[in-house]
Amino acid sequence: AQKITQTQPGMFVQEKEAVTLDCTYDTSDPSYGLFWYKQPSSGEMIFLIYQGSYDQQNATEGRYSLNFQKARKSANLVISASQLGDSAMYFCAMRVLYYGGSQGNLIFGKGTKLSVKP
Amino acid sequence: GAVVSQHPSRVICKSGTSVKIECRSLDFQATTMFWYRQFPKQSLMLMATSNEGSKATYEQGVEKDKFLINHASLTLSTLTVTSAHPEDSSFYICSAPRLGGLNTEAFFGQGTRLTVV
C-alpha cells in the first residue's frame, strides 16, 4: 500500500536560516510523483514543488528544493532563508496513477507544523 | 494559472440539516474532482472521486448516502452533506487535476469549514 510518513509534528527555525522537513514514502509502483504543499491557517493548499520518480535531478523552485533520495525513498523539503511567512503546515504527498479505484489522487502525510522565529 | 473556486468557505448549520458545497473549475475542464476531508490537526483524507457524467467512487468507510456527490458538468462538482451531525464538522476541500499524468499539479479549492451545531 502507498504511504507517506512525516515524522516531525513540529519544527522551529530561526528567520533567515534553512530548514529541512522530512518525508519518506512507500510504494511498489515504479511510477509516482511526489509533492509538497503548504497550508497556512486559512486552510488553502499551496503547491510548492514536484519531483517525479524518474527525474534525475532534484527539483528546485525558488527557496524550495527537494532532496530526492530514491533508494532511501525519501523526499525531504529544504527551505532556504526562512521567512516569517513560511510559518504554516507542510504536507508531503504522493500520486500514483493507479490506486484502488481512484486514479491520480494525492496521498498525504500527517504534516509538519513549521514555526519561524524572528 | 488554473483556479478552482469553492463555496462556501465557512458554514454553520443545525444538526439534521443538509449542506451543499460547490467546487467550480474556472478556466479549465475538470473531468475529475477529488473531495478530501481534514479533521483538526490531521491530514487530508480522500473521501471520494467524482467523474463528470458518472457515479462517484467513494473510499472505504465513507457513506455514499450521507455524502452525495454530483458532477453534472465539466466545471462543477458538488458535495452535499445530508442530515449533518456534529461529528461531520470538519474542513472539506476539493481538488481537480488539470491534465492527466503523474506531474499534474492538483489545484485545490479554498476549502469549506463546516460546523454542525
Side-chain angles (χ1 to χ4, degrees):
Chain A
Q2 286 82 6
K3 188 178 180 181
I4 293 283
T5 303
Q6 294 180 256
T7 58
Q8 305 155 314
M11 289 281 287
F12 287 91
V13 64
Q14 202 69 38
E15 192 179 9
K16 299 181 184 178
E17 291 186 352
V19 63
T20 298
L21 305 184
D22 295 341
C23 172
T24 58
Y25 61 92
D26 189 20
T27 180
S28 57
D29 198 305
S31 301
Y32 51 88
L34 297 162
F35 300 76
W36 277 92
Y37 283 86
K38 173 184 177 181
Q39 186 181 44
S41 57
S42 61
E44 62 182 313
M45 297 293 284
I46 302 169
F47 167 76
L48 297 178
I49 198 166
Y50 165 82
Q51 181 84 43
S53 60
Y54 296 117
D55 292 345
Q56 296 295 312
Q57 293 187 331
N58 288 343
T60 60
E61 290 284 350
R63 293 188 299 114
Y64 305 107
S65 61
L66 200 152
N67 184 0
F68 181 46
Q69 298 188 39
K70 196 169 182 177
R72 290 186 172 185
K73 292 190 173 180
S74 73
N76 299 340
L77 176 70
V78 180
I79 305 175
S80 62
S82 297
Q83 302 172 356
L84 295 178
D86 293 335
S87 294
M89 282 292 291
Y90 288 80
F91 289 97
C92 180
M94 176 171 63
R95 164 181 288 133
V96 295
L97 276 180
Y98 302 99
Y99 177 62
S102 303
Q103 295 186 24
N105 65 284
L106 290 168
I107 301 160
F108 289 88
K110 291 187 175 183
T112 296
K113 184 174 182 180
L114 178 66
S115 300
V116 181
K117 298 187 287 185
Chain B
V3 177
V4 174
S5 179
Q6 183 172 347
H7 294 281
S9 58
R10 190 180 295 267
V11 59
I12 302 173
C13 71
K14 290 185 177 180
S15 187
T17 61
S18 295
V19 173
K20 180 185 280 189
I21 301 169
E22 291 188 351
C23 275
R24 294 181 183 272
S25 55
L26 297 185
D27 62 352
F28 69 103
Q29 294 182 332
T31 55
T32 300
M33 189 75 74
F34 300 110
W35 288 92
Y36 295 86
R37 179 169 55 186
Q38 184 182 28
F39 290 108
K41 298 185 179 181
Q42 294 192 21
S43 187
L44 283 76
M45 298 298 293
L46 181 69
M47 296 177 64
T49 302
S50 72
N51 295 291
E52 187 268 337
S54 63
K55 289 185 179 180
T57 304
Y58 290 82
E59 297 300 300
Q60 193 173 7
V62 178
E63 300 174 58
K64 62 180 180 181
D65 294 330
K66 181 170 185 61
F67 299 98
L68 300 179
I69 289 174
N70 184 279
H71 197 150
S73 79
L74 288 171
T75 58
L76 176 63
S77 177
T78 61
L79 168 67
T80 301
V81 183
T82 63
S83 187
H85 290 285
E87 56 265 30
D88 299 323
S89 298
S90 187
F91 186 70
Y92 295 86
I93 191 165
C94 61
S95 169
R98 187 169 186 173
L99 299 170
L102 286 167
N103 64 343
T104 305
E105 179 182 341
F107 296 103
F108 284 85
Q110 297 91 330
T112 297
R113 203 166 298 278
L114 171 64
T115 303
V116 185
V117 297

